[in-house]
Amino acid sequence: MDMHPWLPNLAHIKEMLQAIGVHDIYDLFSDVPNEILLRRELNLPYKEPLSEYEITLRLNELKNKSMKLLMSPFIGGGVCPHYVPEAVKFIISRSEFYTSYTPYQPEISQGLLQALFEYQSLIAELLEMEVVNASLYDWGSALAEAVMMANRINKRSTVLVPENMNPYHKEVLKTWVYGKGMKIVEIPYNANSGQLDYEKAKEMLSSSKDISSVYIQQPNYYGVFEENVEEIIEYAKRNNVITIMGVNPLSLSLIKPPGEYGVDIAVSDGQELGLPLNYGGPLVGIMAVRWDGQLVRQMPGRIVGLTKDTNGNRAFTLILQTREQFARREKATSNITTNEALMAIANAVYLSLLGKRGLRELAEEIYKRSHYAKEQLEKIDGVLSPFKGDFFEEFLLKFPIDYSLIHSHLLKKKIHGGIKINRNEALFCVTEVHTKQMIDTLVNEVREVIENVEAS
Amino acid sequence: MWRQAKWDEPLIMEYKGNGGRIGTLIPHEKEIEIKLRIPERLKRSKEPEIPELSELEVVRHFIRLSQMSFGVDTGFMPLGSCTMKYNPKVEEKTSELVSEYHPLQDFDTVQGILEMIYEMQNMLAEITGMDQCSLQVPAGAAGELAGVLMIKKYHEDKNRKNRDEMLVADSAHGTNPASAAMAGYKVIYIRTNKDGLVDIDVLREVTSEKTVGFMLTNPNTLGLFESDILEISKILHRVDAKLYYDGANLNGILGVVRPGDMGFDVVHLNLHKTFGVPHGGGGPGAGAICAKGEMVDYLPYPLVQKKDGKFTLDYIPSKSIGKIATFYGNIANVVRAYSYILGLGSKGISMIGKLSTLATNYLISKLKGVRGLSLPYSDRPRKHEVVFSAKQLLNETGISANDIAKTLLDRGFYAPTIYFPPNVEEALMIEPTETEPKEVLDKYADAIRQIVEEAYKNPQLLLNSPSNTSVGRIDQVTANHPSSVTPTYRVYRLRSEGKISILK
């Protein structure tokens, strides 16, 4: 190999070795024990470097092995299909952003810092919370960080979580708190309303002195709004339990943001604010806290703040860095270094493009379409919603036949139905990318398969 | 002379004319007539303070902000331990492989994605010399947490309840002790000896039946290869403690020596460092966590497996610690790393460690002997990076590592990592990587040499730098003081309205 587009010095090896004063490149590895030096080439399925054209051929080959659906899938479960405006993709493709690093030298990274400050500020307004960090990995890990943060503050080790929370988030939480030996206890939910059992929640909150925090997901995993959150929060405060609320960011132009409830910590995912599905990653974990020194100082992750330069000009820089791992090491609030900065910028651009009116219109549109879809599906004999509570974006339906039969029929028609929850139930997600015509097609296919199965 | 763009760009929420505009239209289904039935008590009480602007205003605003930013595409960024190599542009196209796909889609509909993940699992196992890799982790630190939890669960399964000490080199990245603490472990620091390597005698003394493992990066943060690695591995394995490899510095040995062959049991990789994925201003990154022998059973799930020619992403190792991320990690970045590996092939990947080490030592040859700078610890070749000390310069001229950094910015170069590792005073940690042409390394060395000369002649000039960047030196006191700390515009607004007080 004597030339490669990414390796400019291949032809200068001799000259550079000479400047160093050695003869062979392996002289630079003379301190590596002989028995572990890899004296062979790595054994990868691709021996020679592929040209850019060949790389795209291979990627196209892989692309063709995945199935192109007729329409966006009707799946949520923590991430939902949405339309991403071209301007968002365009901005985050700017290579000054995209090839930059964590802004350790603020003077040369002002634009990046301002964009992240704007992300924090826009999310703060949407959530009505004062302090937002410059992002975490995703909702699940943001929740885990919030729970561990509460544990650091009050040293208690039980967290109450809703039984009707996102199961993937619950799995992540379980893994993260395992190290600290924390206990997760579930608050049951009411099978009629689809909402938390509020009485039980209150009872549980005062049942033990070891409860560190309580988590509420609004709307819950089945898309249903929790209606009596205030009482839980009040009870939690009375028992000095830290309150954490997980929210759907798009629902917040319609319903009460976490700040209005007075919760301590809010968590979410910014995927719905301008990110494609990305097969589940990157997403962007949102975390916000109230204006309270204890919360702010225990917050994980980077925070950008407003300040001045020595000439008195407005400037931005990373703040409160004594919380971070490079300063406090094992006493740090978290080990996080790489976050999802570019995705946070995508959120900032998205929120700026839509503005408060666009956000409200979008939320109303999603509300309308998801309700329409549910109503139409419920017109099919035997299909009904098990819950009474109002919902946003996602809804659970019960079918008269095994949902797998419906699902495989839909797939044959290149439509991807909802998430199977159990034999007869599935969770559907409907957003602005699903037109009325697409919804009607889905409904017709579901009706057809149910009628066929029942007839046979 | 190099100059950075300087716009008096308002905050997006301060834009004049803000209101009554929209940057993108929302699709409407007029035929659907559904009334909002949200209960009154659930409704938001007032609209969020989010600006209303046209598309052009938004685009122009963020383009200006991008012009006040600096990336590898703008210029040389030799940040030590960050591996800021060039990010091949083809990666942007290839990431389209995954963008439209939902993580909970049926495996039948995502066979191409799963095949890519499967190949990556195998290729990374070969590259690291480990048995199996999981791509669950969205970044390096998440990989560390996963790795430490794997070690924890391993010892718990062996019923070793009294083991609670994680060893960490004193020069280690801050993430190592932070991850160990998140797993509930006590952190025991292992001193660096006069050669800049792990002090084997101390390690021998400290390692006991209380030790769970040792977190180590090799080459270490000084750029030095831990030559005693086989002995280190023996000491740890004698008490069945696990050797953990922090992959942050893998670039300096990539293709030359593998962690698995050195005796490491668990390895994390930073795909955004070693495998050319862009850093995006600090994220998204992507990671992998790999294991050998019995540690494979503890990997975070799920992994891709191949059965009867079909791929599924549902393999759960028998003793798995669980999930670290909500879905499968940052797959859009994994596919970027995949195309990077394809673009190099076995042949190219096998050259990376050699070429990045060559670049580092070439830079050393240009900077060795510069008055005021010293190369602490041994004279051995460095690998991915080199740490100089500017202590003598500070003593003789009052010019610090920070001043050198700020002056480099004025010349259109990004600064090295400074004040790290903690065992070197006035540290300048430079990592050139294999992608910078020799001439750029020459220019960087020249710049540092000139700055040092200037320090002896006219130090005041350096203290005033930078002046060619968008803003001058930052006031860190105002930024962090409880009465002026401003993490959001909301805080700024509420403070000016007298609605919030000092951060208590």
Side-chain angles (χ1 to χ4, degrees):
Chain A
M1 212 170 76
D2 57 354
M3 269 168 81
H4 192 280
W6 311 335
L7 305 172
N9 297 328
L10 279 173
H12 305 278
I13 296 177
K14 256 205 184 123
E15 190 188 337
M16 290 169 80
L17 286 172
Q18 219 160 32
I20 298 165
V22 295
H23 298 288
D24 188 286
I25 229 166
Y26 274 100
D27 292 343
L28 301 174
F29 296 93
S30 55
D31 49 353
V32 176
N34 234 318
E35 60 259 57
I36 53 172
L37 261 186
L38 192 69
R39 292 278 182 194
R40 59 168 175 89
E41 231 164 56
L42 289 164
N43 184 21
L44 306 177
Y46 309 88
K47 302 280 171 246
E48 297 291 327
L50 295 191
S51 68
E52 189 170 316
Y53 176 61
E54 289 163 324
I55 297 171
T56 59
L57 284 183
R58 171 65 183 143
L59 265 296
N60 278 336
E61 190 188 328
L62 289 172
K63 230 186 215 171
N64 292 333
K65 288 183 180 176
S66 292
M67 189 198 277
K68 190 91 193 125
L69 296 168
L70 210 58
M71 55 189 82
S72 294
F74 291 92
I75 336 174
V79 296
C80 298
H82 290 287
Y83 183 75
V84 179
E86 286 304 319
V88 176
K89 296 180 217 165
F90 182 80
I91 298 296
I92 66 165
S93 303
R94 278 292 289 204
S95 65
E96 299 94 327
F97 280 149
Y98 154 83
T99 70
S100 65
Y101 195 67
T102 308
Y104 289 140
Q105 297 290 340
E107 297 85 358
I108 202 166
S109 306
Q110 279 302 298
L112 173 65
L113 284 159
Q114 184 173 334
L116 291 173
F117 181 80
E118 290 176 358
Y119 158 80
Q120 294 170 188
S121 299
L122 291 162
I123 297 288
E125 297 301 347
L126 190 63
L127 268 53
E128 298 271 338
M129 305 279 286
E130 280 69 46
V131 185
V132 178
N133 68 18
S135 81
L136 299 170
Y137 306 129
D138 59 25
W139 188 332
S141 54
L143 169 62
E145 291 270 20
V147 167
M148 291 174 86
M149 183 177 153
N151 167 258
R152 284 195 300 277
I153 292 173
N154 60 21
K155 312 282 184 242
R156 303 181 196 167
S157 56
T158 301
V159 52
L160 296 183
V161 302
E163 192 186 348
N164 54 357
M165 74 179 279
N166 186 310
Y168 308 100
H169 299 160
K170 203 189 292 174
E171 283 179 72
V172 175
L173 177 64
K174 237 192 204 156
T175 311
W176 281 58
V177 303
Y178 157 64
K180 289 275 189 199
M182 291 186 70
K183 214 167 105 191
I184 302 172
V185 178
E186 292 185 19
I187 308 169
Y189 72 97
N190 183 313
N192 268 327
S193 64
Q195 298 165 342
L196 270 176
D197 185 333
Y198 302 110
E199 287 311 312
K200 189 84 192 141
K202 288 192 284 187
E203 196 186 303
M204 289 170 84
L205 270 166
S206 44
S207 68
S208 156
K209 291 268 171 256
D210 189 47
I211 297 166
S212 173
S213 55
V214 58
Y215 176 61
I216 297 152
Q217 188 182 332
Q218 174 76 309
N220 63 40
Y221 184 62
Y222 302 117
V224 177
F225 292 125
E226 293 293 347
E227 275 186 78
N228 289 314
V229 177
E230 278 97 341
E231 281 181 61
I232 296 184
I233 287 162
E234 197 196 303
Y235 247 75
K237 298 218 157 172
R238 213 182 289 165
N239 290 289
N240 292 317
V241 171
I242 291 174
T243 49
I244 306 168
M245 186 181 265
V247 294
N248 172 324
L250 280 182
S251 71
L252 294 183
S253 342
L254 302 178
I255 67 160
K256 263 191 199 174
E260 281 196 42
Y261 289 106
V263 298
D264 298 309
I265 311 171
V267 293
S268 186
D269 203 305
Q271 183 270 330
E272 297 197 73
L273 306 174
L275 302 194
L277 293 166
N278 284 334
Y279 199 56
L283 307 173
V284 47
I286 293 174
M287 180 186 276
V289 301
R290 279 193 299 118
W291 187 249
D292 174 302
Q294 203 173 29
L295 292 168
V296 175
R297 289 195 184 89
Q298 281 303 330
M299 198 173 194
R302 313 214 183 264
I303 307 174
V304 177
L306 186 66
T307 185
K308 299 176 296 205
D309 71 358
T310 45
N311 308 316
N313 298 314
R314 178 150 84 185
F316 302 89
T317 188
L318 295 174
I319 56 168
L320 304 170
Q321 286 184 283
T322 48
R323 299 167 297 115
E324 294 190 56
Q325 44 75 27
F326 60 86
R328 291 289 300 282
R329 298 165 80 75
E330 76 274 16
K331 300 226 160 54
T333 53
S334 163
N335 71 348
I336 190 165
T337 42
T338 297
N339 54 16
E340 306 288 323
L342 195 68
M343 304 294 108
I345 294 176
N347 284 178
V349 179
Y350 185 83
L351 289 168
S352 304
L353 284 170
L354 269 73
K356 57 185 167 200
R357 165 135 165 214
L359 281 166
R360 196 186 57 239
E361 284 184 14
L362 178 61
E364 282 174 3
E365 198 63 26
I366 292 169
Y367 182 96
K368 254 172 52 179
R369 292 186 194 203
S370 52
H371 279 72
Y372 172 77
K374 179 171 167 266
E375 282 175 15
Q376 294 303 308
L377 284 162
E378 279 184 313
K379 284 184 184 161
I380 303 168
D381 244 8
V383 178
L384 64 114
S385 160
F387 301 138
K388 282 196 210 77
D390 197 21
F391 67 97
F392 184 78
E393 204 168 52
E394 293 186 72
F395 53 91
L396 189 69
L397 284 180
K398 203 178 175 92
F399 294 94
I401 59 172
D402 188 335
Y403 177 70
S404 300
L405 297 171
I406 300 171
H407 198 70
S408 52
H409 171 82
L410 288 174
L411 266 186
K412 266 185 225 135
K413 302 279 175 175
K414 301 206 165 190
I415 298 168
H416 202 298
I419 307 166
K420 187 173 173 178
I421 298 292
N422 56 45
R423 190 174 175 275
N424 287 96
E425 289 178 334
L427 184 66
F428 282 74
C429 172
V430 176
T431 74
E432 82 283 4
V433 297
H434 302 110
T435 62
K436 179 174 177 294
Q437 196 195 353
M438 291 175 188
I439 296 168
D440 291 343
T441 307
L442 168 79
V443 174
N444 287 337
E445 293 298 342
V446 173
R447 178 178 291 118
E448 194 185 304
V449 63
I450 290 175
E451 283 171 359
N452 279 345
V453 170
E454 285 184 335
S456 67
Chain B
M1 189 179 64
W2 182 81
R3 269 192 187 286
Q4 188 174 30
K6 190 173 189 163
W7 299 98
D8 281 327
E9 188 61 20
L11 285 164
I12 193 88
M13 45 284 285
E14 290 172 338
Y15 253 71
K16 290 222 170 73
N18 175 2
R21 294 178 188 169
I22 198 156
T24 190
L25 288 181
I26 306 302
H28 286 284
E29 275 297 1
K30 294 194 184 63
E31 284 173 57
I32 298 180
E33 279 178 37
I34 298 265
K35 287 249 167 351
L36 260 61
R37 292 188 293 255
I38 299 171
E40 212 47 48
R41 59 186 294 204
L42 271 181
K43 282 187 182 157
R44 185 174 182 120
S45 66
K46 64 177 178 32
E47 287 195 309
E49 300 267 343
I50 292 176
E52 294 185 326
L53 299 164
S54 61
E55 183 174 344
L56 173 66
E57 286 169 295
V58 174
V59 168
R60 201 173 271 165
H61 171 74
F62 284 101
I63 290 296
R64 285 179 173 172
L65 294 189
S66 76
Q67 290 175 341
M68 293 193 285
S69 302
F70 192 97
V72 178
D73 284 358
T74 322
F76 187 29
M77 291 191 84
L79 271 171
S81 275
C82 302
T83 313
M84 297 297 289
K85 60 172 75 176
Y86 174 65
N87 311 127
K89 297 306 164 223
V90 66
E91 293 176 10
E92 273 329 88
K93 197 163 174 58
T94 56
S95 64
E96 290 167 12
L97 176 71
V98 303
S99 56
E100 301 287 308
Y101 292 86
H102 193 288
L104 300 176
Q105 275 187 226
D106 286 49
F107 298 139
D108 284 346
T109 68
V110 289
Q111 283 297 301
I113 297 174
L114 299 186
E115 183 173 336
M116 185 277 296
I117 299 174
Y118 185 74
E119 267 189 30
M120 274 301 265
Q121 286 175 186
N122 291 337
M123 291 198 293
L124 295 175
E126 162 67 6
I127 288 170
T128 53
M130 306 299 279
D131 292 332
Q132 183 66 272
C133 293
S134 163
L135 297 164
Q136 245 291 290
V137 295
E144 282 183 30
L145 177 65
V148 177
L149 292 177
M150 286 165 66
I151 293 172
K152 186 170 181 114
K153 189 137 194 281
Y154 171 79
H155 289 300
E156 280 193 1
D157 284 354
K158 299 243 154 163
N159 230 343
R160 296 166 179 162
K161 290 206 173 73
N162 56 341
R163 283 208 194 208
D164 62 351
E165 294 179 356
M166 179 62 86
L167 312 184
V168 175
D170 64 357
S171 64
H173 300 119
T175 45
N176 291 175
S179 302
M182 282 169 92
Y185 283 140
K186 250 188 259 170
V187 177
I188 310 285
Y189 289 102
I190 302 295
R191 197 175 61 201
T192 297
N193 68 17
K194 60 177 177 19
D195 296 325
L197 303 172
V198 166
D199 193 321
I200 294 284
D201 295 330
V202 172
L203 181 69
R204 219 174 264 126
E205 222 167 277
V206 170
T207 306
S208 73
E209 299 286 329
K210 304 251 332 162
T211 310
V212 293
F214 186 19
M215 300 180 80
L216 191 62
T217 171
N218 193 16
N220 65 26
T221 50
L222 294 163
L224 289 163
F225 190 84
E226 300 281 356
S227 308
D228 292 328
I229 187 61
L230 295 173
E231 180 59 24
I232 292 173
S233 152
K234 254 190 227 149
I235 294 171
L236 270 295
H237 289 148
R238 212 172 285 149
V239 295
D240 197 27
K242 297 297 172 191
L243 198 52
Y244 179 89
Y245 187 82
D246 172 344
N249 301 344
L250 180 69
N251 206 51
I253 55 163
L254 191 63
V256 181
V257 49
R258 307 184 303 171
D261 300 335
M262 296 185 220
F264 285 93
D265 305 290
V266 183
V267 167
H268 93 252
L269 299 177
N270 303 71
L271 301 184
H272 51 287
K273 294 183 179 183
T274 320
F275 297 96
V277 178
H279 287 67
I289 179 98
C290 310
K292 218 166 105 176
E294 53 194 341
M295 293 311 288
V296 166
D297 295 342
Y298 294 89
L299 283 170
Y301 67 79
L303 279 80
V304 173
Q305 58 184 336
K306 192 176 180 182
K307 264 191 294 193
D308 312 322
K310 245 179 74 177
F311 298 95
T312 56
L313 183 41
D314 56 2
Y315 165 38
I316 302 179
S318 59
K319 296 165 182 168
S320 173
I321 52 160
K323 276 164 88 84
I324 289 288
T326 305
F327 294 105
Y328 317 124
N330 286 346
I331 299 300
N333 276 350
V334 172
V335 62
R336 287 180 170 95
Y338 174 80
S339 52
Y340 172 83
I341 294 175
L342 261 52
L344 286 160
S346 302
K347 276 213 164 70
I349 293 286
S350 297
M351 287 302 288
I352 300 300
K354 292 170 197 150
L355 289 169
S356 62
T357 298
L358 179 70
T360 305
N361 289 284
Y362 178 74
L363 199 61
I364 295 171
S365 76
K366 295 263 146 186
L367 285 171
K368 225 164 151 180
V370 170
R371 186 179 164 197
L373 297 187
S374 63
L375 190 60
Y377 301 105
S378 72
D379 236 6
R380 292 184 187 197
R382 267 39 179 189
K383 296 297 177 283
H384 60 302
E385 68 194 1
V386 56
V387 182
F388 283 98
S389 168
K391 192 187 168 207
Q392 191 197 337
L393 187 76
L394 179 67
N395 290 343
E396 294 177 357
T397 67
I399 292 301
S400 65
N402 188 46
D403 300 322
I404 297 177
K406 299 303 179 199
T407 314
L408 279 167
L409 303 182
D410 260 347
R411 293 168 180 248
F413 291 115
Y414 202 84
T417 297
I418 50 175
Y419 302 106
F420 187 81
N423 47 352
V424 176
E425 289 179 83
E426 294 300 311
L428 293 164
M429 187 196 223
I430 312 175
E431 179 178 10
T433 84
E434 70 284 1
T435 63
E436 288 300 328
K438 176 183 152 292
E439 296 70 32
V440 177
L441 305 179
D442 289 337
K443 278 191 186 144
Y444 197 70
D446 286 346
I448 292 183
R449 217 178 304 120
Q450 286 162 16
I451 290 166
V452 169
E453 275 169 30
E454 194 72 41
Y456 283 100
K457 277 191 284 188
N458 189 359
Q460 194 55 44
L461 222 66
L462 304 187
L463 293 173
N464 293 338
S465 63
S467 50
N468 300 336
T469 45
S470 306
V471 297
R473 271 200 214 192
I474 300 294
D475 176 356
Q476 292 291 353
V477 178
T478 304
N480 289 292
H481 196 276
S483 64
S484 49
V485 65
T486 311
T488 54
Y489 189 69
R490 183 178 174 87
V491 166
Y492 173 81
R493 188 162 50 77
L494 294 177
R495 185 184 287 129
S496 61
E497 291 167 9
K499 285 185 186 150
I500 60 167
S501 53
I502 189 162
L503 186 67
K504 281 195 209 106

